[in-house]
């Protein structure tokens, strides 16, 4: 049975007929880009999924009673990991494609549209963002959900992630502007008990916060009090709007207070001082870059801080950020970062005898997979096709018109492919996209909900 031909539907039917916990899937004949440093790339390789886990990667594998999927002519790769997206905004996609600066985005979206969102609007936007992520090969998405006006708003965002089947990270924060119940961060304990009681589940919880009090006041700014709340709950912290001198000073305070570390992610990190970067490197703090957001919107220096991160030993994750102005997919982020960094490197060396220090396609794919998982606190779970990790993987058609012939698989993923080439997506061993289509979605019904929500948001005066 092949994923590429008329038997594809029969393969899916057979997979879904079998109980998920006892299901075995053997992919054969693929080019496997494992992103595991010890396994590398395997040409003509096989991969075995048992239940929700990758159990073997190699050549000439066999497995009794497995559904065999002929993956000849495809690339198997880990699913992409998005380390920061404001998913609730999805029904406002590209509403401000040429926004000039952070202030323009903040006033239009956070001080305007956000204030009228109902719980159902949170659900619709978040579900739309997650389904789009799956369609473009993102199997893990951190939803920086910073419009939690009530308990019901938080519940709706979490339930949307759950209902799509994505590996979701709900990072919860109160809103910047407008009326809200002030239930955050106290409500995190209830959220954890209700939705995140198990360590072995698709959804995980983080505390979301801002770097400084410049935008929305001190209640949302990271510091010892919020760090203590996260520690008591046993969850990580994602810090947004890490920009410039004021954030650099904050980073040094956090280092002094002992509240930086591997469980803390600093988002953007543009325009930081060398002293701040040194503190981040020394504490093992993680970084989420947003390449198109930084460059297109013009956040502080407008240059994604990949060189600064690498110089202190931090390999960053990548993220989408805001769909109101930006692309939705990880291919765009990888290509933008690859081009911008290499442009900077060559420009800096131009006219000298210095050799440019360029990132590679392997680097940016690493950022989009393994390092993204590390940034989200999930490095032991996903990010590579390593036996023992969960089966979050993509099947990419290497012989499609825009990809053939396959010469370099990593180059093909990063520079050649897009969502149309992804024939299948598995998350936790469960097919979520098959034969080029996202499964279990009534597009007509979803379209109606999205349009109705958008019209409500756009036509209701800001609160």
């Amino acid at each position: 049975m092949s994923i590429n031909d008329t038997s594809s539907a029969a393969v899916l039917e057979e997979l879904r007929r079998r109980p998920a916990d006892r299901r075995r899937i053997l992919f054969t004949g693929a080019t496997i880009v494992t992103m595991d440093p010890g396994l590398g790339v395997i040409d003509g390789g096989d991969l075995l999924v048992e239940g929700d886990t990758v159990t073997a990667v190699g050549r000439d594998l066999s497995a009794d009673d497995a559904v065999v999927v002929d993956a000849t002519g495809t690339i198997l790769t880990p699913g992409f990991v998005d380390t920061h997206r404001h998913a609730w905004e999805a029904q406002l996609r590209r509403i401000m494609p040429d926004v000039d600066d952070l202030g323009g985005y903040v006033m239009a979206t956070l001080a305007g549209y956000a204030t009228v969102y109902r719980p159902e609007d949170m659900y619709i936007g978040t579900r739309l963002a997650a389904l789009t992520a799956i369609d473009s090969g993102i199997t893990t998405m951190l939803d920086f959900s910073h419009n939690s006006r009530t308990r019901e708003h938080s519940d709706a965002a979490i339930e949307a992630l759950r209902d799509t089947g994505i590996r979701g990270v709900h990072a919860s924060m109160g809103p910047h502007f407008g009326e809200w119940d002030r239930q955050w961060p106290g409500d995190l304990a209830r959220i954890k008990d209700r939705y995140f009681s198990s360590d072995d589940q698709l959804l995980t919880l983080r505390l979301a916060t801002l770097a400084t009090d410049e935008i929305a006041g001190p209640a949302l700014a990271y510091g010892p009090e919020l760090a203590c709340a996260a520690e008591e709950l046993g969850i990580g912290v994602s810090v947004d709007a890490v920009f410039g001198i004021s954030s650099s000073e904050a980073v040094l305070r956090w280092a002094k207070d002992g509240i930086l570390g591997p469980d803390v992610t600093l988002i953007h990190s543009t325009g930081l001082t060398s002293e701040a970067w040194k503190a981040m490197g020394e504490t093992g703090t993680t970084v989420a870059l947003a390449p198109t957001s930084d460059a297109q919107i013009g956040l502080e220096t407008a240059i994604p801080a990949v060189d600064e991160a690498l110089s202190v030993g931090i390999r960053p994750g990548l993220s989408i950020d805001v769909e109101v102005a930006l692309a939705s997919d990880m291919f765009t982020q990888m290509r933008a970062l690859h081009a911008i960094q290499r442009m900077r490197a060559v420009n800096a060396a131009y006219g000298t005898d210095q050799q440019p220090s360029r990132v590679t396609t392997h680097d940016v794919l690493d950022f989009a997979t393994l390092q993204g998982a590390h940034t989200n606190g999930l490095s032991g779970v996903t990010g590579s096709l390593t036996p023992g990790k969960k089966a979050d993987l993509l099947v990419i058609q290497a012989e499609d018109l825009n990809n053939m012939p396959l010469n370099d698989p990593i180059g093909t993923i990063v520079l050649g492919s897009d969502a149309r080439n992804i024939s299948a997506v598995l998350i936790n061993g469960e097919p979520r996209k098959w034969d080029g289509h996202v499964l279990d979605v009534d597009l007509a019904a979803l379209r109606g909900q999205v349009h109705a929500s958008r019209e409500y948001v756009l036509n209701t005066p800001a609160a």
Side-chain angles (χ1 to χ4, degrees):
M1 295 181 180
S2 170
I3 202 167
N4 308 322
D5 58 28
T6 55
S7 66
S8 178
V11 175
L12 178 63
E13 183 179 355
E14 177 64 17
L15 289 176
R16 291 193 145 185
R17 185 182 65 78
R18 301 187 180 196
D21 59 344
R22 298 197 297 274
R23 180 191 298 148
R24 309 178 89 197
I25 312 170
L26 179 62
F27 294 92
T28 63
T31 298
I32 305 177
V33 177
T34 70
M35 297 312 294
D36 180 311
L39 295 174
V41 176
I42 303 171
D43 295 322
D46 302 342
L47 182 143
L48 179 63
V49 175
E50 298 187 76
D52 60 6
T53 303
V54 175
T55 57
V57 182
R59 292 190 180 90
D60 301 320
L61 300 181
S62 61
D64 294 338
D65 197 34
V67 177
V68 178
V69 179
D70 178 7
T72 304
T74 74
I75 303 169
L76 298 191
T77 186
F80 302 131
V81 179
D82 183 355
T83 58
H84 150 243
R85 184 190 309 224
H86 304 294
W88 59 268
E89 302 175 10
Q91 61 268 70
L92 302 176
R93 282 174 174 162
R94 271 68 74 180
I95 200 168
M96 51 181 72
D98 297 312
V99 61
D100 290 331
D101 55 28
L102 179 62
Y105 159 76
V106 167
M107 296 313 296
T109 303
L110 303 182
Y113 303 128
T115 65
V116 305
Y117 262 64
R118 305 161 296 179
E120 54 260 48
D121 302 310
M122 293 289 290
Y123 179 90
I124 292 165
T126 303
R127 181 167 180 251
L128 177 60
L131 290 171
T132 303
I134 292 170
D135 186 45
S136 64
I138 294 170
T139 54
T140 301
M141 182 182 76
L142 184 143
D143 174 21
F144 196 109
S145 191
H146 60 353
N147 200 20
S148 298
R149 298 187 173 274
T150 67
R151 292 168 46 152
E152 291 75 23
H153 283 70
S154 296
D155 291 350
I158 296 166
E159 288 164 5
L161 294 177
R162 180 196 63 196
D163 291 350
T164 64
I166 199 167
R167 191 174 298 283
V169 183
H170 176 74
S172 174
M173 192 180 93
H176 292 66
F177 303 105
E179 296 298 321
W180 61 292
D181 286 354
R182 305 285 166 177
Q183 82 289 350
W184 180 92
D187 191 44
L188 286 170
R190 177 195 68 88
I191 288 173
K192 184 179 180 183
D193 288 344
R194 179 171 181 179
Y195 294 104
F196 303 94
S197 58
S198 170
D199 291 332
D200 185 22
Q201 60 181 46
L202 275 174
L203 302 186
T204 52
L205 178 67
R206 287 173 78 90
L207 183 148
T209 180
L210 300 178
T212 66
D213 61 5
E214 295 172 298
I215 298 176
L220 300 179
Y222 186 53
E225 186 174 342
L226 289 179
C228 182
E231 184 177 14
E232 288 178 354
L233 290 168
I235 60 177
V237 178
S238 293
V239 186
D240 203 355
V242 183
F243 309 126
I245 297 300
S246 59
S247 289
S248 297
E249 293 170 349
V251 168
L252 295 177
R253 289 197 303 272
W254 302 334
K256 183 178 179 181
D257 291 339
I259 57 173
L260 285 180
D263 291 333
V264 176
T265 298
L266 304 187
I267 301 167
H268 296 293
S269 301
T270 51
L272 300 184
T273 63
S274 58
E275 292 81 9
W277 277 107
K278 181 181 179 187
M280 292 155 63
E282 288 175 346
T283 54
T285 299
T286 58
V287 168
L289 301 182
T292 58
S293 179
D294 295 336
Q296 183 174 328
I297 299 176
L299 302 180
E300 200 67 22
T301 61
I303 300 172
V306 59
D307 291 315
E308 293 83 349
L310 294 175
S311 72
V312 296
I314 298 173
R315 294 187 67 81
L318 303 184
S319 69
I320 306 303
D321 200 359
V322 292
E323 292 187 70
V324 296
L326 305 169
S328 307
D329 66 288
M330 192 60 70
F331 295 108
T332 299
Q333 307 310 316
M334 290 190 291
R335 289 169 189 161
L337 185 63
H338 186 254
I340 290 170
Q341 191 282 335
R342 291 169 74 89
M343 176 189 70
R344 283 185 74 196
V346 173
N347 181 260
Y350 181 73
T352 74
D353 58 0
Q354 298 176 356
Q355 290 299 310
S357 179
R358 299 176 173 100
V359 296
T360 66
T361 52
H362 185 280
D363 284 323
V364 295
L365 184 57
D366 179 53
F367 301 157
T369 55
L370 190 58
Q371 302 310 321
H374 173 64
T375 301
N376 281 352
L378 296 170
S379 58
V381 176
T382 189
S384 66
L385 299 181
T386 303
K389 286 192 178 184
K390 298 303 182 183
D392 297 349
L393 62 88
L394 315 180
V395 180
I396 297 176
Q397 297 298 321
E399 294 298 328
D400 280 354
L401 186 63
N402 61 311
N403 279 340
M404 66 174 166
L406 179 60
N407 292 314
D408 184 298
I410 293 176
T412 297
I413 296 168
V414 173
L415 300 178
S417 300
D418 53 47
R420 68 186 146 158
N421 304 122
I422 300 174
S423 58
V425 175
L426 270 64
I427 302 176
N428 216 43
E430 188 67 33
R432 295 297 175 186
K433 181 177 182 178
W434 196 263
D435 196 23
H437 300 284
V438 177
L439 301 176
D440 307 318
V441 180
D442 183 336
L443 280 178
L446 177 62
R447 189 175 295 113
Q449 294 165 357
V450 168
H451 280 258
S453 175
R454 180 194 64 177
E455 293 310 304
Y456 173 83
V457 171
L458 293 185
N459 292 296
T460 302

